[in-house]
Amino acid sequence: MVRPRNVNRVKLKKEIPDWEQEEFESRTDIKKAAQAITDLGEQLSEMTENEIKRLELPQTLSEALLLLKRMDKGPALKRQKLYIGRYLRQDEPLIVEIKEKLAEIEAKKKQQNAHFHKLEKWRDRLVEEGDSALVEFLEFYPQADRQALRQWIRNAQKEQKESKPPKSSREIFKYLKGLEW
């Protein structure tokens, strides 16, 4: 019986090195790092125009990103992505700065999501438990309007029983969102 060559052969996945380190073991590593920077440029182009402007990028880069956003399918799109990647690779401190800003944005989004999850839990608790949860909620937020919340809670409980759309639950969430921010 002839044994195939590649049996029990395992290739370990190598981590893509950062472009800024400039120590590559092979040409493949260089190409992978360059592709990662091009992907970073593509990720930037997926942001909205206002987010791109808030990043305070150099004018030529922001114009290239906005142009890429407006382009349709075709070979020009690929050329524009490669142009952005090439531009970024020429300015390594800019790459680091962009990565830091994207990390900040991601952290803010996670923080905001966690806050909204907390508010959703409060809303669900208020609707399920009623006045007992309201008393506990008012200990944390004494500035809250007890009467309006109590009315919305009763309406939300009534809507749940009658299988109506959760209009009052939405009102509770809007109010809770307005309390803390």
Side-chain angles (χ1 to χ4, degrees):
M1 180 166 134
V2 178
R3 182 173 176 198
R5 288 184 184 176
N6 293 332
V7 172
N8 296 331
R9 211 176 209 187
V10 179
K11 280 193 173 185
L12 299 175
K13 285 197 171 190
K14 291 172 61 176
E15 202 172 298
I16 298 174
D18 285 332
W19 181 261
E20 305 87 58
Q21 73 181 5
E22 295 185 22
E23 293 181 22
F24 300 106
E25 295 177 13
S26 65
R27 288 174 55 188
T28 304
D29 287 347
I30 294 171
K31 290 177 185 178
K32 285 181 181 177
Q35 183 60 44
I37 298 301
T38 304
D39 293 343
L40 175 68
E42 192 172 345
Q43 180 184 354
L44 288 173
S45 72
E46 292 170 359
M47 299 171 84
T48 64
E49 288 186 30
N50 289 333
E51 289 174 335
I52 292 172
K53 289 177 184 174
R54 269 189 257 136
L55 287 177
E56 298 174 1
L57 301 171
Q59 185 177 2
T60 52
L61 179 60
S62 60
E63 287 173 359
L65 289 168
L66 295 175
L67 179 63
L68 180 61
K69 285 184 73 61
R70 290 190 300 261
M71 294 177 112
D72 292 331
K73 295 179 182 178
L77 187 71
K78 184 178 179 182
R79 280 194 304 272
Q80 188 68 13
K81 288 177 187 177
L82 293 174
Y83 169 73
I84 292 171
R86 197 174 328 118
Y87 183 88
L88 287 172
R89 285 190 301 274
Q90 290 172 357
D91 192 1
E92 291 183 15
L94 180 63
I95 296 171
V96 175
E97 183 182 326
I98 289 171
K99 285 182 179 180
E100 288 172 357
K101 288 180 181 180
L102 289 177
E104 279 180 26
I105 291 170
E106 190 65 30
K108 282 183 183 178
K109 283 182 181 179
K110 284 183 180 180
Q111 182 183 12
Q112 190 175 22
N113 281 343
H115 177 69
F116 283 154
H117 285 298
K118 178 180 148 190
L119 293 180
E120 286 174 351
K121 285 180 183 178
W122 267 116
R123 179 203 53 204
D124 294 341
R125 239 183 104 198
L126 288 170
V127 172
E128 287 175 13
E129 297 176 19
D131 287 337
S132 61
L134 181 61
V135 170
E136 188 178 335
F137 178 77
L138 289 173
E139 288 175 10
F140 289 109
Y141 303 99
Q143 74 274 19
D145 185 5
R146 171 184 293 234
Q147 189 175 5
L149 276 172
R150 190 172 275 156
Q151 182 66 39
W152 284 322
I153 291 169
R154 286 192 189 120
N155 289 344
Q157 291 170 343
K158 191 175 180 182
E159 290 167 356
Q160 271 186 344
K161 287 179 185 174
E162 297 175 2
S163 300
K164 289 186 176 180
K167 179 182 174 186
S168 297
S169 292
R170 290 186 195 121
E171 289 294 326
I172 292 171
F173 186 75
K174 283 181 191 175
Y175 182 75
L176 295 180
K177 206 165 62 170
L179 269 180
E180 205 166 303
W181 290 95

